[in-house]
Amino acid sequence: MAPSSYNYTSPQDMWYVLIGIPGQEDVHTWISIPVCFMYIVAIVGNLFLIFLIVTEQHLHEPMYLFLSMLALADVLLATSTAPKMLAIFWSHSMNISFGSCVSQMFFIHFIFVAESAILLAMAFDRYVAICHPLRYTAILTSSAIGKIGIAAVVRSFTVCFPFIFLVHRLRYCGRNIIPHSYCEHMGIARLACDNININIIYGLTVALLSTGLDIMLIIMSYTMILCTVFQIPSWTARFKALSTCGSHICVILMFYAPAFFSFFAHRFGGKTIPHHIHILVANLYVVVPPMLNPIIYGVKTKQIQDRVTLFFSPISICCLKKKG
C-alpha cells in the first residue's frame, strides 16, 4: 500500500494497547507477584536509604550523597513503570493515551541517562578517593557535588527531550498494539506508517554518546584505580581499597548489562531472541536493580550498616519494653 493511501490518525486521538508480556498472558498474575514484591522493596529500601543519608550527619560525604541521587533515580524509574505493569497484569488495564505513553517514554529514557551519569560520578568519586586521597575533600566539595547533580539532570533532559518531537513528527495510521508492558521510544516509532530512520539513528547516537561514553569513562576510572591499587605494597591495604569499590561495581553490572541487552535485542535480535524473553528482561530491569541497590550498599558498606543498627536500636528497645 502506498503511503498516500494510508488513513492517518492524529497523535492526539491515538490510544495504545500495552499487552504486557506477549504469549504469557495466562501467567501474568503469577508474574505480577514477584514484580509487586520487588517494587515495594525497591520503594521502601531506597526511600529509607535517602532518609538515612539526609538525616545522618556522618553520611554527608560525597560517596553517600551520590548514593542518595542514585536511590532517588531508582524510585522514579520503578514508579514510572511498575504501577502500569501491575495494572496490566492484575486488571487488564492495557489502554494508554498517546500523550501518557510519550510522557512515560520520556521519563524512562530521562531517568536512565541521568542514572548512568550518577554511576559515572560515583566512579569519579572512587577514583579521587583512591588515586588522590589528599585532595579528596578539596575536589569533591558540596558545591562540586551539587554541580555534578545538576549537570547530570541537564544532560539527560537535553538528549532525551528530542525523543518527544521525534515521535510527534511521525504519521500514524491506526496501528496501536505495543507488545510491551511500558512505552519506550522505538516501541512507539515502529507503530508509525512513516520512515523511522531518524528515530533509529538518534536512539543509537544517544546510547553511544551518553551511556556509551559513560561506560568508557567508568572503565578508564577503574583502570587508573587498579593501577594505583597494585602499586600499594600491602595486600591488606590493596584489599581495603578495592573493597570500597565492590558495591559500585555490582551496581554498574546490574544497571548496564540488562539495559544494553534490552536495547540491542529490540533493534537487532528480533529473530534470534524470543520476544517474550526480551520483554521479561525489560520488565525485570526496572524493578530488580532498584530493589538490589540499597541491599548491596547496606550489606557492603559498614557506615550504612552502623547507621541502620543505631536507627533501629531505639525501636527494638521500645518494642521489648512494651512486651515486658
mmCIF file of all heavy atoms in Angstrom, residues 24-72:
data_model
loop_
_atom_site.group_PDB
_atom_site.id
_atom_site.type_symbol
_atom_site.label_atom_id
_atom_site.label_comp_id
_atom_site.label_asym_id
_atom_site.label_seq_id
_atom_site.Cartn_x
_atom_site.Cartn_y
_atom_site.Cartn_z
ATOM 1 N N GLN A 24 2.438 -14.683 27.113
ATOM 2 C CA GLN A 24 2.451 -15.139 28.515
ATOM 3 C C GLN A 24 1.256 -14.586 29.286
ATOM 4 O O GLN A 24 1.298 -14.482 30.509
ATOM 5 C CB GLN A 24 3.756 -14.682 29.190
ATOM 6 C CG GLN A 24 5.021 -15.097 28.474
ATOM 7 C CD GLN A 24 5.163 -16.605 28.367
ATOM 8 O OE1 GLN A 24 5.020 -17.311 29.355
ATOM 9 N NE2 GLN A 24 5.441 -17.093 27.165
ATOM 10 N N GLU A 25 0.185 -14.283 28.566
ATOM 11 C CA GLU A 25 -0.975 -13.678 29.219
ATOM 12 C C GLU A 25 -1.561 -14.572 30.314
ATOM 13 O O GLU A 25 -2.090 -14.072 31.306
ATOM 14 C CB GLU A 25 -2.056 -13.366 28.171
ATOM 15 C CG GLU A 25 -1.719 -12.203 27.254
ATOM 16 C CD GLU A 25 -0.806 -12.611 26.087
ATOM 17 O OE1 GLU A 25 -0.474 -13.815 25.991
ATOM 18 O OE2 GLU A 25 -0.447 -11.734 25.284
ATOM 19 N N ASP A 26 -1.464 -15.887 30.140
ATOM 20 C CA ASP A 26 -2.040 -16.811 31.127
ATOM 21 C C ASP A 26 -1.319 -16.777 32.469
ATOM 22 O O ASP A 26 -1.892 -17.175 33.495
ATOM 23 C CB ASP A 26 -2.013 -18.247 30.579
ATOM 24 C CG ASP A 26 -2.946 -18.421 29.378
ATOM 25 O OD1 ASP A 26 -3.834 -17.575 29.203
ATOM 26 O OD2 ASP A 26 -2.762 -19.392 28.620
ATOM 27 N N VAL A 27 -0.067 -16.333 32.465
ATOM 28 C CA VAL A 27 0.709 -16.327 33.719
ATOM 29 C C VAL A 27 0.998 -14.908 34.204
ATOM 30 O O VAL A 27 1.842 -14.726 35.069
ATOM 31 C CB VAL A 27 2.025 -17.124 33.558
ATOM 32 C CG1 VAL A 27 1.740 -18.592 33.346
ATOM 33 C CG2 VAL A 27 2.880 -16.564 32.424
ATOM 34 N N HIS A 28 0.295 -13.939 33.645
ATOM 35 C CA HIS A 28 0.503 -12.546 34.066
ATOM 36 C C HIS A 28 0.298 -12.373 35.572
ATOM 37 O O HIS A 28 1.056 -11.645 36.225
ATOM 38 C CB HIS A 28 -0.446 -11.617 33.302
ATOM 39 C CG HIS A 28 0.115 -11.150 32.001
ATOM 40 N ND1 HIS A 28 -0.568 -10.339 31.131
ATOM 41 C CD2 HIS A 28 1.316 -11.374 31.420
ATOM 42 C CE1 HIS A 28 0.175 -10.084 30.061
ATOM 43 N NE2 HIS A 28 1.315 -10.705 30.216
ATOM 44 N N THR A 29 -0.718 -13.028 36.112
ATOM 45 C CA THR A 29 -0.981 -12.887 37.549
ATOM 46 C C THR A 29 0.181 -13.417 38.372
ATOM 47 O O THR A 29 0.568 -12.807 39.380
ATOM 48 C CB THR A 29 -2.275 -13.635 37.930
ATOM 49 O OG1 THR A 29 -3.362 -13.128 37.147
ATOM 50 C CG2 THR A 29 -2.598 -13.427 39.410
ATOM 51 N N TRP A 30 0.741 -14.537 37.950
ATOM 52 C CA TRP A 30 1.874 -15.120 38.679
ATOM 53 C C TRP A 30 3.116 -14.241 38.549
ATOM 54 O O TRP A 30 3.874 -14.081 39.503
ATOM 55 C CB TRP A 30 2.168 -16.531 38.175
ATOM 56 C CG TRP A 30 1.071 -17.505 38.485
ATOM 57 C CD1 TRP A 30 0.146 -18.019 37.615
ATOM 58 C CD2 TRP A 30 0.761 -18.071 39.762
ATOM 59 N NE1 TRP A 30 -0.718 -18.862 38.262
ATOM 60 C CE2 TRP A 30 -0.368 -18.922 39.580
ATOM 61 C CE3 TRP A 30 1.316 -17.942 41.036
ATOM 62 C CZ2 TRP A 30 -0.931 -19.631 40.634
ATOM 63 C CZ3 TRP A 30 0.752 -18.649 42.084
ATOM 64 C CH2 TRP A 30 -0.350 -19.474 41.887
ATOM 65 N N ILE A 31 3.316 -13.680 37.361
ATOM 66 C CA ILE A 31 4.472 -12.800 37.153
ATOM 67 C C ILE A 31 4.331 -11.535 38.007
ATOM 68 O O ILE A 31 5.324 -10.993 38.508
ATOM 69 C CB ILE A 31 4.608 -12.430 35.665
ATOM 70 C CG1 ILE A 31 4.944 -13.683 34.843
ATOM 71 C CG2 ILE A 31 5.693 -11.365 35.445
ATOM 72 C CD1 ILE A 31 4.908 -13.461 33.344
ATOM 73 N N SER A 32 3.094 -11.086 38.196
ATOM 74 C CA SER A 32 2.865 -9.845 38.938
ATOM 75 C C SER A 32 3.275 -9.958 40.407
ATOM 76 O O SER A 32 3.618 -8.946 41.025
ATOM 77 C CB SER A 32 1.393 -9.447 38.861
ATOM 78 O OG SER A 32 0.580 -10.335 39.614
ATOM 79 N N ILE A 33 3.238 -11.170 40.975
ATOM 80 C CA ILE A 33 3.550 -11.335 42.402
ATOM 81 C C ILE A 33 4.997 -10.938 42.707
ATOM 82 O O ILE A 33 5.238 -10.084 43.561
ATOM 83 C CB ILE A 33 3.240 -12.774 42.870
ATOM 84 C CG1 ILE A 33 1.734 -13.046 42.749
ATOM 85 C CG2 ILE A 33 3.719 -12.988 44.313
ATOM 86 C CD1 ILE A 33 1.347 -14.484 43.003
ATOM 87 N N PRO A 34 6.022 -11.525 42.010
ATOM 88 C CA PRO A 34 7.397 -11.068 42.286
ATOM 89 C C PRO A 34 7.638 -9.627 41.871
ATOM 90 O O PRO A 34 8.400 -8.917 42.524
ATOM 91 C CB PRO A 34 8.263 -12.040 41.477
ATOM 92 C CG PRO A 34 7.368 -12.615 40.444
ATOM 93 C CD PRO A 34 6.007 -12.657 41.062
ATOM 94 N N VAL A 35 6.990 -9.170 40.793
ATOM 95 C CA VAL A 35 7.162 -7.775 40.361
ATOM 96 C C VAL A 35 6.655 -6.827 41.438
ATOM 97 O O VAL A 35 7.329 -5.841 41.780
ATOM 98 C CB VAL A 35 6.434 -7.516 39.022
ATOM 99 C CG1 VAL A 35 6.397 -6.021 38.709
ATOM 100 C CG2 VAL A 35 7.118 -8.265 37.886
ATOM 101 N N CYS A 36 5.483 -7.114 42.003
ATOM 102 C CA CYS A 36 4.922 -6.273 43.056
ATOM 103 C C CYS A 36 5.819 -6.285 44.297
ATOM 104 O O CYS A 36 6.080 -5.233 44.888
ATOM 105 C CB CYS A 36 3.519 -6.765 43.417
ATOM 106 S SG CYS A 36 2.693 -5.784 44.691
ATOM 107 N N PHE A 37 6.295 -7.468 44.669
ATOM 108 C CA PHE A 37 7.176 -7.581 45.831
ATOM 109 C C PHE A 37 8.453 -6.767 45.624
ATOM 110 O O PHE A 37 8.870 -6.004 46.507
ATOM 111 C CB PHE A 37 7.521 -9.048 46.076
ATOM 112 C CG PHE A 37 8.570 -9.254 47.132
ATOM 113 C CD1 PHE A 37 8.255 -9.153 48.482
ATOM 114 C CD2 PHE A 37 9.883 -9.541 46.778
ATOM 115 C CE1 PHE A 37 9.232 -9.327 49.459
ATOM 116 C CE2 PHE A 37 10.867 -9.719 47.740
ATOM 117 C CZ PHE A 37 10.533 -9.611 49.083
ATOM 118 N N MET A 38 9.064 -6.910 44.444
ATOM 119 C CA MET A 38 10.309 -6.191 44.169
ATOM 120 C C MET A 38 10.089 -4.688 44.122
ATOM 121 O O MET A 38 10.929 -3.908 44.578
ATOM 122 C CB MET A 38 10.928 -6.696 42.860
ATOM 123 C CG MET A 38 11.520 -8.093 42.964
ATOM 124 S SD MET A 38 12.381 -8.634 41.467
ATOM 125 C CE MET A 38 10.998 -9.033 40.390
ATOM 126 N N TYR A 39 8.936 -4.268 43.593
ATOM 127 C CA TYR A 39 8.631 -2.833 43.537
ATOM 128 C C TYR A 39 8.493 -2.256 44.944
ATOM 129 O O TYR A 39 9.046 -1.186 45.238
ATOM 130 C CB TYR A 39 7.348 -2.616 42.740
ATOM 131 C CG TYR A 39 6.864 -1.194 42.740
ATOM 132 C CD1 TYR A 39 7.654 -0.165 42.224
ATOM 133 C CD2 TYR A 39 5.613 -0.860 43.262
ATOM 134 C CE1 TYR A 39 7.211 1.150 42.224
ATOM 135 C CE2 TYR A 39 5.163 0.451 43.264
ATOM 136 C CZ TYR A 39 5.962 1.452 42.747
ATOM 137 O OH TYR A 39 5.521 2.758 42.746
ATOM 138 N N ILE A 40 7.785 -2.959 45.821
ATOM 139 C CA ILE A 40 7.607 -2.478 47.193
ATOM 140 C C ILE A 40 8.948 -2.401 47.918
ATOM 141 O O ILE A 40 9.258 -1.409 48.587
ATOM 142 C CB ILE A 40 6.624 -3.393 47.962
ATOM 143 C CG1 ILE A 40 5.219 -3.269 47.377
ATOM 144 C CG2 ILE A 40 6.613 -3.043 49.453
ATOM 145 C CD1 ILE A 40 4.231 -4.271 47.919
ATOM 146 N N VAL A 41 9.767 -3.454 47.767
ATOM 147 C CA VAL A 41 11.085 -3.466 48.406
ATOM 148 C C VAL A 41 11.945 -2.330 47.861
ATOM 149 O O VAL A 41 12.667 -1.659 48.618
ATOM 150 C CB VAL A 41 11.786 -4.823 48.202
ATOM 151 C CG1 VAL A 41 13.227 -4.773 48.714
ATOM 152 C CG2 VAL A 41 11.018 -5.932 48.916
ATOM 153 N N ALA A 42 11.876 -2.095 46.546
ATOM 154 C CA ALA A 42 12.666 -1.018 45.928
ATOM 155 C C ALA A 42 12.271 0.341 46.484
ATOM 156 O O ALA A 42 13.134 1.161 46.821
ATOM 157 C CB ALA A 42 12.483 -1.050 44.405
ATOM 158 N N ILE A 43 10.968 0.590 46.583
ATOM 159 C CA ILE A 43 10.499 1.888 47.073
ATOM 160 C C ILE A 43 10.875 2.076 48.534
ATOM 161 O O ILE A 43 11.452 3.113 48.931
ATOM 162 C CB ILE A 43 8.969 2.022 46.890
ATOM 163 C CG1 ILE A 43 8.605 1.995 45.410
ATOM 164 C CG2 ILE A 43 8.470 3.307 47.530
ATOM 165 C CD1 ILE A 43 9.248 3.079 44.578
ATOM 166 N N VAL A 44 10.572 1.082 49.358
ATOM 167 C CA VAL A 44 10.861 1.185 50.794
ATOM 168 C C VAL A 44 12.362 1.289 51.040
ATOM 169 O O VAL A 44 12.833 2.144 51.807
ATOM 170 C CB VAL A 44 10.263 -0.011 51.561
ATOM 171 C CG1 VAL A 44 10.712 0.003 53.027
ATOM 172 C CG2 VAL A 44 8.746 -0.005 51.472
ATOM 173 N N GLY A 45 13.139 0.423 50.374
ATOM 174 C CA GLY A 45 14.586 0.398 50.578
ATOM 175 C C GLY A 45 15.255 1.694 50.171
ATOM 176 O O GLY A 45 16.088 2.237 50.909
ATOM 177 N N ASN A 46 14.896 2.215 49.001
ATOM 178 C CA ASN A 46 15.539 3.437 48.514
ATOM 179 C C ASN A 46 15.103 4.675 49.286
ATOM 180 O O ASN A 46 15.920 5.555 49.560
ATOM 181 C CB ASN A 46 15.267 3.605 47.017
ATOM 182 C CG ASN A 46 16.120 2.696 46.158
ATOM 183 O OD1 ASN A 46 17.329 2.870 46.063
ATOM 184 N ND2 ASN A 46 15.489 1.706 45.546
ATOM 185 N N LEU A 47 13.821 4.749 49.640
ATOM 186 C CA LEU A 47 13.364 5.892 50.432
ATOM 187 C C LEU A 47 13.998 5.889 51.823
ATOM 188 O O LEU A 47 14.368 6.947 52.349
ATOM 189 C CB LEU A 47 11.840 5.889 50.549
ATOM 190 C CG LEU A 47 11.059 6.245 49.279
ATOM 191 C CD1 LEU A 47 9.559 6.178 49.529
ATOM 192 C CD2 LEU A 47 11.446 7.629 48.749
ATOM 193 N N PHE A 48 14.147 4.698 52.401
ATOM 194 C CA PHE A 48 14.803 4.617 53.710
ATOM 195 C C PHE A 48 16.270 5.016 53.597
ATOM 196 O O PHE A 48 16.812 5.710 54.463
ATOM 197 C CB PHE A 48 14.688 3.202 54.271
ATOM 198 C CG PHE A 48 15.402 3.029 55.585
ATOM 199 C CD1 PHE A 48 14.897 3.597 56.744
ATOM 200 C CD2 PHE A 48 16.585 2.317 55.655
ATOM 201 C CE1 PHE A 48 15.554 3.463 57.961
ATOM 202 C CE2 PHE A 48 17.253 2.174 56.864
ATOM 203 C CZ PHE A 48 16.742 2.740 58.013
ATOM 204 N N LEU A 49 16.922 4.606 52.488
ATOM 205 C CA LEU A 49 18.320 4.966 52.271
ATOM 206 C C LEU A 49 18.476 6.479 52.138
ATOM 207 O O LEU A 49 19.394 7.079 52.721
ATOM 208 C CB LEU A 49 18.840 4.259 51.020
ATOM 209 C CG LEU A 49 20.352 4.272 50.768
ATOM 210 C CD1 LEU A 49 21.101 3.621 51.933
ATOM 211 C CD2 LEU A 49 20.681 3.548 49.466
ATOM 212 N N ILE A 50 17.576 7.110 51.393
ATOM 213 C CA ILE A 50 17.606 8.566 51.243
ATOM 214 C C ILE A 50 17.394 9.237 52.599
ATOM 215 O O ILE A 50 18.113 10.185 52.963
ATOM 216 C CB ILE A 50 16.531 9.034 50.237
ATOM 217 C CG1 ILE A 50 16.862 8.531 48.827
ATOM 218 C CG2 ILE A 50 16.416 10.560 50.234
ATOM 219 C CD1 ILE A 50 15.733 8.720 47.830
ATOM 220 N N PHE A 51 16.406 8.746 53.343
ATOM 221 C CA PHE A 51 16.122 9.304 54.670
ATOM 222 C C PHE A 51 17.341 9.188 55.575
ATOM 223 O O PHE A 51 17.696 10.138 56.289
ATOM 224 C CB PHE A 51 14.925 8.562 55.282
ATOM 225 C CG PHE A 51 14.693 8.886 56.733
ATOM 226 C CD1 PHE A 51 14.072 10.070 57.102
ATOM 227 C CD2 PHE A 51 15.103 8.012 57.725
ATOM 228 C CE1 PHE A 51 13.856 10.374 58.442
ATOM 229 C CE2 PHE A 51 14.893 8.302 59.068
ATOM 230 C CZ PHE A 51 14.275 9.492 59.423
ATOM 231 N N LEU A 52 18.002 8.027 55.530
ATOM 232 C CA LEU A 52 19.163 7.791 56.383
ATOM 233 C C LEU A 52 20.299 8.743 56.031
ATOM 234 O O LEU A 52 20.925 9.342 56.917
ATOM 235 C CB LEU A 52 19.615 6.338 56.219
ATOM 236 C CG LEU A 52 20.431 5.709 57.351
ATOM 237 C CD1 LEU A 52 19.599 5.632 58.620
ATOM 238 C CD2 LEU A 52 20.896 4.317 56.939
ATOM 239 N N ILE A 53 20.559 8.915 54.750
ATOM 240 C CA ILE A 53 21.665 9.775 54.312
ATOM 241 C C ILE A 53 21.369 11.247 54.617
ATOM 242 O O ILE A 53 22.256 11.999 55.031
ATOM 243 C CB ILE A 53 21.936 9.570 52.808
ATOM 244 C CG1 ILE A 53 22.488 8.156 52.564
ATOM 245 C CG2 ILE A 53 22.923 10.610 52.277
ATOM 246 C CD1 ILE A 53 22.573 7.758 51.103
ATOM 247 N N VAL A 54 20.119 11.657 54.435
ATOM 248 C CA VAL A 54 19.751 13.060 54.674
ATOM 249 C C VAL A 54 19.810 13.402 56.156
ATOM 250 O O VAL A 54 20.262 14.493 56.543
ATOM 251 C CB VAL A 54 18.349 13.345 54.101
ATOM 252 C CG1 VAL A 54 17.842 14.722 54.551
ATOM 253 C CG2 VAL A 54 18.382 13.290 52.574
ATOM 254 N N THR A 55 19.365 12.478 56.995
ATOM 255 C CA THR A 55 19.243 12.786 58.426
ATOM 256 C C THR A 55 20.508 12.510 59.230
ATOM 257 O O THR A 55 20.673 13.075 60.315
ATOM 258 C CB THR A 55 18.085 11.981 59.046
ATOM 259 O OG1 THR A 55 18.291 10.571 58.817
ATOM 260 C CG2 THR A 55 16.748 12.405 58.455
ATOM 261 N N GLU A 56 21.391 11.667 58.724
ATOM 262 C CA GLU A 56 22.608 11.331 59.464
ATOM 263 C C GLU A 56 23.772 12.203 58.994
ATOM 264 O O GLU A 56 24.223 12.086 57.856
ATOM 265 C CB GLU A 56 22.957 9.849 59.281
ATOM 266 C CG GLU A 56 22.001 8.902 59.977
ATOM 267 C CD GLU A 56 22.123 8.954 61.486
ATOM 268 O OE1 GLU A 56 23.158 9.451 61.993
ATOM 269 O OE2 GLU A 56 21.184 8.513 62.175
ATOM 270 N N GLN A 57 24.259 13.059 59.868
ATOM 271 C CA GLN A 57 25.344 13.979 59.522
ATOM 272 C C GLN A 57 26.599 13.235 59.101
ATOM 273 O O GLN A 57 27.343 13.698 58.229
ATOM 274 C CB GLN A 57 25.653 14.880 60.730
ATOM 275 C CG GLN A 57 26.590 16.043 60.430
ATOM 276 C CD GLN A 57 25.971 17.071 59.488
ATOM 277 O OE1 GLN A 57 24.755 17.294 59.522
ATOM 278 N NE2 GLN A 57 26.784 17.682 58.642
ATOM 279 N N HIS A 58 26.855 12.078 59.700
ATOM 280 C CA HIS A 58 28.062 11.310 59.383
ATOM 281 C C HIS A 58 28.052 10.765 57.944
ATOM 282 O O HIS A 58 29.096 10.372 57.434
ATOM 283 C CB HIS A 58 28.215 10.136 60.363
ATOM 284 C CG HIS A 58 28.546 10.567 61.764
ATOM 285 N ND1 HIS A 58 27.565 10.962 62.654
ATOM 286 C CD2 HIS A 58 29.736 10.682 62.417
ATOM 287 C CE1 HIS A 58 28.143 11.295 63.805
ATOM 288 N NE2 HIS A 58 29.445 11.138 63.695
ATOM 289 N N LEU A 59 26.885 10.729 57.332
ATOM 290 C CA LEU A 59 26.787 10.223 55.959
ATOM 291 C C LEU A 59 26.754 11.344 54.926
ATOM 292 O O LEU A 59 26.499 11.085 53.755
ATOM 293 C CB LEU A 59 25.538 9.346 55.812
ATOM 294 C CG LEU A 59 25.507 8.070 56.667
ATOM 295 C CD1 LEU A 59 24.217 7.299 56.426
ATOM 296 C CD2 LEU A 59 26.713 7.177 56.372
ATOM 297 N N HIS A 60 27.018 12.563 55.346
ATOM 298 C CA HIS A 60 27.048 13.687 54.410
ATOM 299 C C HIS A 60 28.426 13.770 53.750
ATOM 300 O O HIS A 60 29.122 14.773 53.839
ATOM 301 C CB HIS A 60 26.690 15.000 55.118
ATOM 302 C CG HIS A 60 25.253 15.069 55.511
ATOM 303 N ND1 HIS A 60 24.693 16.179 56.102
ATOM 304 C CD2 HIS A 60 24.247 14.170 55.387
ATOM 305 C CE1 HIS A 60 23.410 15.949 56.332
ATOM 306 N NE2 HIS A 60 23.118 14.734 55.905
ATOM 307 N N GLU A 61 28.788 12.679 53.085
ATOM 308 C CA GLU A 61 30.044 12.600 52.342
ATOM 309 C C GLU A 61 29.721 12.388 50.871
ATOM 310 O O GLU A 61 28.616 11.918 50.537
ATOM 311 C CB GLU A 61 30.891 11.438 52.868
ATOM 312 C CG GLU A 61 31.279 11.573 54.335
ATOM 313 C CD GLU A 61 32.046 10.349 54.826
ATOM 314 O OE1 GLU A 61 32.436 9.525 53.980
ATOM 315 O OE2 GLU A 61 32.227 10.219 56.049
ATOM 316 N N PRO A 62 30.662 12.729 49.968
ATOM 317 C CA PRO A 62 30.372 12.622 48.538
ATOM 318 C C PRO A 62 29.825 11.265 48.110
ATOM 319 O O PRO A 62 28.839 11.191 47.365
ATOM 320 C CB PRO A 62 31.739 12.899 47.896
ATOM 321 C CG PRO A 62 32.428 13.785 48.870
ATOM 322 C CD PRO A 62 31.981 13.324 50.216
ATOM 323 N N MET A 63 30.433 10.184 48.595
ATOM 324 C CA MET A 63 30.003 8.841 48.199
ATOM 325 C C MET A 63 28.525 8.615 48.509
ATOM 326 O O MET A 63 27.770 8.088 47.685
ATOM 327 C CB MET A 63 30.854 7.798 48.919
ATOM 328 C CG MET A 63 30.416 6.370 48.694
ATOM 329 S SD MET A 63 31.455 5.231 49.635
ATOM 330 C CE MET A 63 30.593 3.690 49.340
ATOM 331 N N TYR A 64 28.089 9.036 49.702
ATOM 332 C CA TYR A 64 26.715 8.788 50.118
ATOM 333 C C TYR A 64 25.742 9.784 49.499
ATOM 334 O O TYR A 64 24.565 9.455 49.267
ATOM 335 C CB TYR A 64 26.629 8.823 51.643
ATOM 336 C CG TYR A 64 27.549 7.807 52.278
ATOM 337 C CD1 TYR A 64 28.675 8.217 52.991
ATOM 338 C CD2 TYR A 64 27.334 6.445 52.112
ATOM 339 C CE1 TYR A 64 29.544 7.288 53.545
ATOM 340 C CE2 TYR A 64 28.198 5.513 52.664
ATOM 341 C CZ TYR A 64 29.302 5.942 53.371
ATOM 342 O OH TYR A 64 30.156 5.013 53.904
ATOM 343 N N LEU A 65 26.206 10.994 49.217
ATOM 344 C CA LEU A 65 25.348 11.959 48.527
ATOM 345 C C LEU A 65 25.047 11.484 47.110
ATOM 346 O O LEU A 65 23.912 11.596 46.634
ATOM 347 C CB LEU A 65 26.006 13.339 48.513
ATOM 348 C CG LEU A 65 26.162 14.006 49.890
ATOM 349 C CD1 LEU A 65 26.922 15.321 49.763
ATOM 350 C CD2 LEU A 65 24.802 14.235 50.547
ATOM 351 N N PHE A 66 26.064 10.936 46.427
ATOM 352 C CA PHE A 66 25.823 10.352 45.107
ATOM 353 C C PHE A 66 24.902 9.140 45.217
ATOM 354 O O PHE A 66 24.049 8.907 44.355
ATOM 355 C CB PHE A 66 27.145 9.944 44.451
ATOM 356 C CG PHE A 66 27.976 11.102 43.974
ATOM 357 C CD1 PHE A 66 29.325 11.180 44.270
ATOM 358 C CD2 PHE A 66 27.413 12.116 43.205
ATOM 359 C CE1 PHE A 66 30.105 12.242 43.836
ATOM 360 C CE2 PHE A 66 28.180 13.187 42.759
ATOM 361 C CZ PHE A 66 29.528 13.256 43.082
ATOM 362 N N LEU A 67 25.073 8.368 46.290
ATOM 363 C CA LEU A 67 24.220 7.206 46.503
ATOM 364 C C LEU A 67 22.763 7.634 46.702
ATOM 365 O O LEU A 67 21.840 6.958 46.221
ATOM 366 C CB LEU A 67 24.716 6.419 47.721
ATOM 367 C CG LEU A 67 23.911 5.172 48.115
ATOM 368 C CD1 LEU A 67 23.800 4.201 46.946
ATOM 369 C CD2 LEU A 67 24.552 4.488 49.308
ATOM 370 N N SER A 68 22.535 8.749 47.394
ATOM 371 C CA SER A 68 21.166 9.236 47.573
ATOM 372 C C SER A 68 20.557 9.655 46.231
ATOM 373 O O SER A 68 19.353 9.459 45.992
ATOM 374 C CB SER A 68 21.134 10.403 48.558
ATOM 375 O OG SER A 68 21.806 11.538 48.032
ATOM 376 N N MET A 69 21.387 10.235 45.337
ATOM 377 C CA MET A 69 20.904 10.572 43.989
ATOM 378 C C MET A 69 20.514 9.310 43.232
ATOM 379 O O MET A 69 19.484 9.267 42.541
ATOM 380 C CB MET A 69 21.988 11.321 43.208
ATOM 381 C CG MET A 69 22.368 12.668 43.765
ATOM 382 S SD MET A 69 23.679 13.428 42.735
ATOM 383 C CE MET A 69 24.234 14.744 43.806
ATOM 384 N N LEU A 70 21.341 8.274 43.353
ATOM 385 C CA LEU A 70 21.057 7.001 42.689
ATOM 386 C C LEU A 70 19.760 6.401 43.227
ATOM 387 O O LEU A 70 18.932 5.893 42.459
ATOM 388 C CB LEU A 70 22.218 6.037 42.901
ATOM 389 C CG LEU A 70 22.093 4.655 42.232
ATOM 390 C CD1 LEU A 70 22.181 4.789 40.715
ATOM 391 C CD2 LEU A 70 23.174 3.706 42.744
ATOM 392 N N ALA A 71 19.576 6.465 44.543
ATOM 393 C CA ALA A 71 18.362 5.924 45.158
ATOM 394 C C ALA A 71 17.119 6.668 44.673
ATOM 395 O O ALA A 71 16.083 6.056 44.388
ATOM 396 C CB ALA A 71 18.476 6.004 46.681
ATOM 397 N N LEU A 72 17.218 7.988 44.548
ATOM 398 C CA LEU A 72 16.086 8.783 44.051
ATOM 399 C C LEU A 72 15.763 8.406 42.610
ATOM 400 O O LEU A 72 14.588 8.254 42.242
ATOM 401 C CB LEU A 72 16.411 10.272 44.155
ATOM 402 C CG LEU A 72 15.342 11.234 43.617
ATOM 403 C CD1 LEU A 72 14.023 11.055 44.378
ATOM 404 C CD2 LEU A 72 15.826 12.679 43.712
#
